[in-house]
Amino acid sequence: MPDERVAAAVASLYAAHRLLDPSAERVEIPFEGAPLVGNLRRPPGASRPPLVLLIPGLDSTKEEFFHWEAVFLSRGMATFSLDGPGQGESGYTTCIRHDYEVAVTAALDTLAGRGGFDPSRVGAAGVSLGGYYAPRAAAYHPMRLPPDIEVGLDAAATFRLVDPVFPFGVYAAVVEIDRTTGQVHVLRLVAVDDAGTIVNPLLAEQVIYDAEGQLLTVTFADYPMLRAHQVVDVTTEFLETPSPFNPLGIRHVEMPLVPEKMWHLVRGA
């Protein structure tokens, strides 16, 4: 059974609900002899909103999701934060398990009987281990999959690149040199890359590898952070000319020899 601290945490959340969202409901779900527990919240003024199932991770709980729930509620979606098997309040009577879709099915069946949301529009989002549970729950729920989608997460495919792909890029740097001391100040750096279709700009802008393919931007111990007086005006732009040689139209991002070019500029000044 939950100890006094857990009971106090749960009671505190429901006390907050009574003040901040009186419509919030505690829902207990029959599950293999021991109930699972979740919190159901609905957006104001919506009779049949879509529902988002919020799934914790290995050591997170439904009580942590109050502000995350507000993100969906403000967009007209109902939320159900679930302490599944081995999680939070439910973890005192159940064990964690890989087949989380069993718990999701039990939860949705229970919620469908209560009404107040559109059961044909249900999504799932998870944090940490819940990020695995969420797609698994969708993939193994045949009644809620499109008719042309097979149940499960298994997939196999083969792709062969018919020709190599090459990126294109231009980098320009503006530097200022103190002729008395020889100190170099980088005033501005402009980087323009054409890497084909940009699937994730953050990966293109912030990930650097060495010649052997090892990631260099792992920690600030390996990739030092600039000090305040060293920060320059950096402008990055991407052109997107899709490659015809792969389904995504992507290329890789080439890293020009910017330091070497700066050195030549300095020597020629």
Side-chain angles (χ1 to χ4, degrees), residues 70-255:
V71 173
F72 297 97
L73 293 167
S74 65
R75 291 163 172 79
M77 293 176 272
T79 62
F80 185 69
S81 298
L82 173 65
D83 277 343
Q87 295 173 314
E89 188 179 353
S90 304
Y92 288 87
T93 54
T94 60
C95 297
I96 199 163
R97 51 194 293 172
H98 71 283
D99 54 344
Y100 202 89
E101 64 274 9
V102 179
V104 169
T105 298
L108 293 179
D109 289 345
T110 298
L111 292 173
R114 301 174 71 89
F117 69 95
D118 185 351
S120 67
R121 295 187 295 163
V122 177
V127 298
S128 189
L129 183 60
Y132 165 75
Y133 284 154
R136 181 183 175 98
Y140 285 93
H141 204 298
M143 298 302 294
R144 292 179 170 86
L145 287 175
D148 57 340
I149 300 296
E150 295 184 3
V151 175
L153 293 172
D154 297 330
T158 301
F159 171 75
R160 292 182 176 86
L161 190 64
V162 295
D163 276 306
V165 295
F166 298 97
F168 305 92
V170 176
Y171 279 39
V174 179
V175 300
E176 181 180 74
I177 303 172
D178 187 326
R179 292 181 179 273
T180 302
T181 63
Q183 187 172 7
V184 179
H185 298 278
V186 180
L187 303 180
R188 189 180 183 193
L189 179 64
V190 179
V192 180
D193 284 287
D194 186 344
T197 303
I198 304 298
V199 178
N200 186 341
L202 292 179
L203 294 180
E205 294 175 2
Q206 300 181 7
V207 178
I208 299 177
Y209 297 87
D210 64 14
E212 298 179 352
Q214 295 298 314
L215 182 63
L216 297 180
T217 50
V218 179
T219 68
F220 289 130
D222 303 319
Y223 188 69
M225 178 183 290
L226 294 176
R227 297 184 178 181
H229 72 280
Q230 297 173 316
V231 175
V232 301
D233 181 9
V234 179
T235 302
T236 60
E237 297 289 344
F238 290 103
L239 304 177
E240 295 193 38
T241 306
S243 168
F245 300 124
N246 61 76
L248 296 179
I250 59 176
R251 313 168 191 263
H252 65 282
V253 177
E254 190 63 67
M255 301 302 295

Side-chain angles (χ1 to χ4, degrees), residues 12 29 138 155 220-221:
S12 296
I29 302 152
F220 289 130

Side-chain angles (χ1 to χ4, degrees), residues 13-50:
L13 179 67
Y14 290 124
H17 279 167
R18 286 192 293 272
L19 296 173
L20 300 175
D21 184 3
S23 66
E25 295 182 50
R26 173 187 173 90
V27 179
E28 295 192 0
I29 302 152
F31 183 76
E32 299 182 358
L36 305 179
V37 183
N39 296 326
L40 176 64
R41 298 177 66 189
R42 302 179 181 89
S47 59
R48 285 175 58 82

